[in-house]
Amino acid sequence: MENTIFNEDVVNLRSLTNLKGFEWRHLKQKCHELHLESVMDSLINLNLVANLARFTLYIEALVISHVIMLLLMVDRIEVYTLVPYALVGILTPVIGWYSFQKDLKHPHVIHTIVSVAISLLIIMADLFESTVLRGAYGIVPSYDHILILSIYIFLPISSLEGFKVYLLGVSVSLIYFSHTVWVAYRCKSFIKTKIVTYGLYLFLLNAVMVFCKLQRLYETRRWIVTRYQLVLQGITFKVVFNEERALLESILPQRMSNFLREDMSNRLAYESKNVFRGTYRNRKLYIEPYQEVTILVADMVNYTYLTSQMRAHELVEILHELFVNFDLAAKNNKVLRIKFLGDAYNCVAGIPTYFPTHAHSCIDQALEMISITQQLSHRKNLNINMRIGVHTGGVLAGIIGHSKWQFDIWSKDVDITNRLEASGKPGLVHISERTMGMLGDQYVIENGTDAAKLDPILQSFRTYLVSSRSSDAVELSDLEEHSSSDSSRESYASFVTGDVYDEIRTRAHREMIEEMSHIPVGRRIACLHPPKLRKKTLYEEHMFKSQIEPVFHTFRDLKMEWRFVKQPDLMMKYSMFVVAIATIVILKMVLIDPSESTDEVVPFNATPFGYVLPLLLLCLLALFKKLWLQRRPLTPMTQPKLVLFRWLLKGSELIEGSLPFRVSVAVVSLLMLYFMSSQRVFLCDIAQLEIDVIDADLHNVLPDLKCFLPWAVTYAVALILSLLLVFSGVPLVIKVALGIFILGSHLGTVHAYYGFAFERSRTTNAGLKADWAHTWYLITFFSIVLIRERHFTYIVKAMFYTRHLYLIKHEQTQASTRTIKVIMANILPSHVAEVFKQRRRQDQLYYENISKVAVMFAVLDHTSLETVGLRVLHEIIGFFDDLLAKYQGNHKVEKIKVIGWTYMACCGLDVEDYTDFSVSIQEGLIEENEDVERPEEPSERNVRFASILEEQDPAWSSQINAENVVLTMTEFAFDLFRIIEEIGAVEQGSSYSPLRLKIGIAHGPVMAGVVGLSKPHYDIWGHAVNMASRMASTGVQGRIQVPRKTAKVLRAFNIHCEYRGPTPVKGVGDVPTYLVALEQDKSETQSDTPRFSNEPFQNVEFFTQSSTDKTPDIHE
């Protein structure tokens, strides 16, 4: 699996904010690279329906309210002036119906025609009265601002790519501007300042709406790419989880693997909450009883000779070929393979589910194994054969220990089966009397061996030898598939070939498109939508609405609301740039050119300029970081050298990333703009203005307002209200409060402070008072701004909420994956599991040659093992496994397996540095949570054996470093003795005899690998493995036995080794062996170290070479 699936973060906020170019262009390019255009189109189409439905309902409410207002406030109104509004109310839903249709052949054309038709309809209704009216005073449009906003936000054309929406917006603006100029000429009231003011107003309104469209596309694309990344990672984790689960269930029965996953999940949950409170100590015993099964134990004859005559990789290839065929036979015979023991093959029938012909299955398996071995021996000219024992009885099946688990079986019947194998004959199946009674006459059977009669256990019953099936044997009916783990092996064997990453991306695209049809976008308001919404869509819409307040759409969960509002707003700098443009335009609008308004010269008032400089400085501060990025990339090495620039950069980052700073800048900017636009009104001489108005009334002409133009101020306030749309990072409730304050202040000015001036300005409808026309103009615009902001907040929060739900699901998947990963690391070494689970052919051999490996066999010797039971073995192995956590340094100690009461481990298998999750769970958890404060890490081991030769000869240092695996393995063995000693101290006075331990260690090159078809088994082979096993089996209780080669390495580290003498080793002959000295000061054993702790011995000075050593020279 490619790492990019897990690690690529294409929309990381830190990376986006450090881009040199525009963020929305970067996201557009990412959408194109990830082939998400179709997903983008699906989401845009959903928003198109919701937006058009809202616009239709708004227009209906607007037209009805407008007509009611005219009927109430205009005396002797002409009915024909209401007809255009009625047509708008009737025809808008009819025209919009075409865009609601599904599966349109030419959707772009239809959406464009619908948008143009609705625009022309509204323009006709808005300009109808001013066109046909022949009065002295001109009538201003009342829907121009609403229509321009709707073109860029609500109408279907706003969702189309290209310049169609901009062309329609500009065209509508030109129509309104041209009509205004025409009316001014017709009414003989043409004033250049008024025309320029209206033109600037339309220009800035279009600019603000273009920015809002870009902002909406930015948020949509960012959400899509972010969600795609989460979906991609989620699918990837699921694939990895399924692979690892299938691999796990190919090794363990499904019921056992489920039990393990549940317990490991609890363990990880405990250790994630108690990172520094010690290890999880609840050691459960994963054991299940089976009352009647048939056990098969097979051993290869002449295996030891092969190990001394063949290279390691040749031997492993032979074993792999044999075991692959054995596994295929086991699958056909409904037999569950338990484990490999070097050249031994153990399996059982009747697990996990009982079936009556389990004895026949094992006998058939045994005969087939003998045939496979003999064919291979003949084909490769090898002198090998199989000796097999089969017995029927009860077993306990499961796993023991704390890490590196292996599924195994235990019982006295297992011991009987081992004795049957040891006393059997090559090429024959040695069975017990109980098994014989279940076979009938299906096989050729003869009496058992003489060796069985000498065995103290086997002599109590008769044994038999099976050579083949009877010639007249009747084939048994097909056995029912009982093993649920077989399906797991099938699933593991059926992994899809080819490029997995492409398959994952395809699944991610399908899931994204599916999610687009259910994402909450407020479609329940789209009552005009003809297709019947699916239940899942309405359910998700309802679920999201239950999480938010109905008015301001704030999350009911305050913590979630805080997480939402404190997100950085990367568009804030561009919002401030729009504010800067608005500052200049509004400044021009509120300044009156005396030569155009009156013949009398009015002193120039520069007060509005006092607001311009602070606003432009705020804009520069917000843009500073982006401007700096144009010069050089922003890295720790390219920070500004000047203190002023550093402060400016910090301020720019705060405006983007800090909610208080962002809100403060937005509020201050809009308030300053409002005060700037209204400053000329407040500074006007009221007395002189009243005289001018009265004089104009007496002469029945338009008043010559020398201070301000009322509609210029109203247009400026409308622009300020439109700027609420550009601050996407400001909470809706603050926008509403700020908009109400600005609107209320201006309406108070219109109706109370300067009512006589606004009353005598132009109106929107004949007979309607001008001050109410100003009020209607602003209230209708503010209402549609709120509708857009409320819906935009709804969409953004819906995206945030769905992302939040997906993150929860994502974390659960990660937790499950981590559980499986830990379990797998407890079965196969981490690096082997990663490689093996991805192999496409299970019959392919995986192996690695390692030159320097120290191997250890530790045999527990107890006089009453039968009475002690598995619980004690489980606890002891658990203490041994806990010790592994202390040996995860440069030379890791790797547990290989447990064979009965024998613990096998080795040191030097490190292929590369990797985290061993089987013994380092807490370390892995801390790495995932970087916020957790890390304690000072203790040294990995407290023991270091200083070498005199190392100090004297530097050339010897490299050789010693190569042999450190032997030293580490010996230290581990010393710690095992300490654990046994502490257990013995606790058990003093009990009825059990004390535990004793004997250990064998050898080192050299080995071959490690995974063999078999199903139930991947990791093992090591080589002369060093065989030698370590013989050192343990022929060893002395309470001592470590090593061969001469290993003793030589230990002597170099100043560790005394006593010569024992020649020891017969099977297949090799007599081998000189040594016992490692274990003298230690009794006072040191009473240390403050907690009992059963994982701390190594503090015995650096205890292993010294005796001056009276009489052993042979091990340097020879």
Side-chain angles (χ1 to χ4, degrees), residues 19 63 105 298 348 358 451 477 483 525 570 589 729 734 806 809 976 1020 1073:
L19 284 175
V63 168
K105 292 184 179 180
V348 63
H358 53 82
S477 59
S483 176
I525 196 174
L570 303 188
M589 290 171 57
I734 296 178
Y806 203 91
K809 184 179 178 182
L976 295 186
I1020 57 176
T1073 58

Side-chain angles (χ1 to χ4, degrees), residues 631-666:
R631 181 171 174 262
R632 63 175 62 183
L634 192 59
T635 65
M637 302 300 296
T638 59
Q639 292 289 328
K641 296 181 179 179
L642 293 178
V643 176
L644 175 61
F645 286 172
R646 283 198 224 121
W647 279 104
L648 290 174
L649 184 61
K650 182 65 175 177
S652 182
E653 291 176 342
L654 284 174
I655 291 176
E656 273 189 357
S658 173
L659 177 65
F661 274 84
R662 184 166 64 245
V663 171
S664 300
V665 168

